[in-house]
Amino acid sequence: SNLLDRAAAATPLACETVATWDADGRVLAQDLIAELEVPGFDNSAMDGYAVRLSDLLHAGAEASFEVSQRVAAGAAGDAPLASGTVARIFTGAPVPPGADAVVIQEDSVVDADGRVRFTAEPRAGQNIRRAGEDVARGQAVLEAGQRLSAAHLGLAASIGAARLTVCRKPRVALLSTGDELAMPGEVAPADLPRGGVFNSNRFFLRALLQRLGCEVTDLGIVPDRLDATRQTLAQAARDHDVIVTSGGVSVGEEDHVKPAVQALGSLELWQVAIKPGKPFAYGRVRRDASAAGLDDAAHFIGLPGNPVSSYVTGLVLLRPFLLRLQGRRDIVVQALPAMARFTWDAPDPKRREFLRVRLDASGALERHAHQGSGVLTSVAWADGLVDNPAGQTIAPGDVVRFLPFSAFLD
């Protein structure tokens, strides 16, 4: 889709500084450079005894050694190891100058007089973590564009970074269109009028946007009127970076989103050659002068109203755009080769298809029996999508392109 090209060119939002403690899931805006080396000193990887190999070699296998010092984690550990002695040492403690190996306590025997013998011959450097072996001073430990995970936060803390520069979260306005929509809790299932449907899209889109790192404002359901649609879009543009709508971008007389966007800004992309998800739109909605600190227009992304179409385009098209706004580098999910255990003999000759599939016990893919754009159970059942080129048939045993849902929501 052209939207992937637009995502690649999207300008990341402004930067802000947050506490490393609160930076989980955020996107780093600047390379993080280490101002020290990690570890900052040679230290013991195990509990045991720091030794001079030359002393052990000259003394013989049955020799015992006086324990001349005790070094715990947090100690300065700058006293040299006296010749002919060993040092009791604990994990993380500095290795005394002169020591060149650590013998673990399981290979050590303490005699009644407190002297120590060893049952295994150590190697040079054994059980010593060298200064700088993890991080070198001046090293870029994390690169701009990286989504911060729990491990990344620990790495940042290990070099003393209390705060991190990240891209601002996109502010997204979410709204649904359609007089047929009802909200769970406001109408009992038994009282849902004929022609009415519960608004499932509103629930999964809000969850999707939040998982993608957005601050979401739910503007509810907009009546099927052009004036109401224009008013809500104008309101949303004032203080949001992106407006996401569900429904109303098709060609029916009651689909008012397209003309409303055109009246308030521009519609630059309308309809894409994918299935499900053809009625997809991208444009811009102008802001008024009161939108201080924001660009002159908000991004507009119109998703189809059918729930499977909305879900699939949310993952395949909306997701990369939102990630690029946050400065993410890796916006495209890499397809995995997988074997099909199903038949697909009636492909769409003009549109790229995304089939809902699930992994079986052998690691092959089975297809949900119902691939219609209104069958939301197919999404809940599936482990991911098969990205199938237009006109491509699939037979059991064929290798296909598998896009796991877990990769979209990493």
Side-chain angles (χ1 to χ4, degrees), residues 263-281:
L264 296 170
S266 62
L267 197 64
E268 301 175 22
L269 174 66
W270 183 57
Q271 297 190 342
V272 290
I274 66 173
K275 183 179 182 179
K278 179 181 178 181
F280 175 92

Side-chain angles (χ1 to χ4, degrees), residues 231-273:
Q231 180 181 354
T232 305
L233 289 174
Q235 172 193 344
R238 291 191 188 106
D239 49 10
H240 294 90
D241 304 296
V242 183
I243 303 168
V244 175
T245 64
S246 173
V249 292
S250 193
V251 293
E253 294 179 3
E254 298 302 318
D255 294 317
H256 300 298
V257 174
K258 180 183 177 185
V261 172
Q262 290 173 318
L264 296 170
S266 62
L267 197 64
E268 301 175 22
L269 174 66
W270 183 57
Q271 297 190 342
V272 290

Side-chain angles (χ1 to χ4, degrees), residues 369-406:
H370 302 288
Q371 293 290 320
S373 60
V375 185
L376 193 54
T377 51
S378 68
V379 175
W381 170 91
D383 293 322
L385 306 168
V386 165
D387 180 2
N388 196 47
Q392 179 69 55
T393 60
I394 300 173
D398 287 350
V399 175
V400 295
R401 291 166 46 84
F402 176 55
L403 302 171
F405 284 149
S406 58

Side-chain angles (χ1 to χ4, degrees), residues 275 343-353 355 388-394:
K275 183 179 182 179
T343 298
W344 188 244
D345 54 9
D348 190 304
K350 297 182 179 180
R351 290 192 286 170
R352 180 177 174 182
E353 296 180 288
L355 309 175
N388 196 47
Q392 179 69 55
T393 60
I394 300 173

Side-chain angles (χ1 to χ4, degrees), residues 207-247:
L208 174 62
L209 291 167
Q210 289 176 328
R211 290 193 182 199
L212 293 175
C214 301
E215 295 179 354
V216 184
T217 304
D218 185 342
L219 297 181
I221 301 171
V222 181
D224 276 332
R225 301 196 317 270
L226 180 58
D227 61 335
T229 305
R230 287 185 58 169
Q231 180 181 354
T232 305
L233 289 174
Q235 172 193 344
R238 291 191 188 106
D239 49 10
H240 294 90
D241 304 296
V242 183
I243 303 168
V244 175
T245 64
S246 173

Side-chain angles (χ1 to χ4, degrees), residues 322-389:
L322 293 173
L323 295 187
R324 187 49 61 109
L325 286 182
Q326 297 172 68
R328 279 278 292 270
R329 299 187 314 264
D330 51 338
I331 64 172
V332 177
V333 171
Q334 298 300 318
L336 304 176
M339 187 178 73
R341 205 178 294 282
F342 62 86
T343 298
W344 188 244
D345 54 9
D348 190 304
K350 297 182 179 180
R351 290 192 286 170
R352 180 177 174 182
E353 296 180 288
F354 292 91
L355 309 175
R356 275 76 70 206
V357 295
R358 182 166 69 179
L359 292 163
D360 66 15
S362 69
L365 298 174
E366 53 183 340
R367 173 179 63 85
H368 194 277
H370 302 288
Q371 293 290 320
S373 60
V375 185
L376 193 54
T377 51
S378 68
V379 175
W381 170 91
D383 293 322
L385 306 168
V386 165
D387 180 2
N388 196 47

Side-chain angles (χ1 to χ4, degrees), residues 278-303:
K278 179 181 178 181
F280 175 92
Y282 170 80
R284 305 270 282 176
V285 177
R286 291 189 301 271
R287 295 191 176 99
D288 58 31
S290 65
L294 297 174
D295 295 335
D296 60 354
H299 299 285
F300 164 80
I301 295 180
L303 304 180

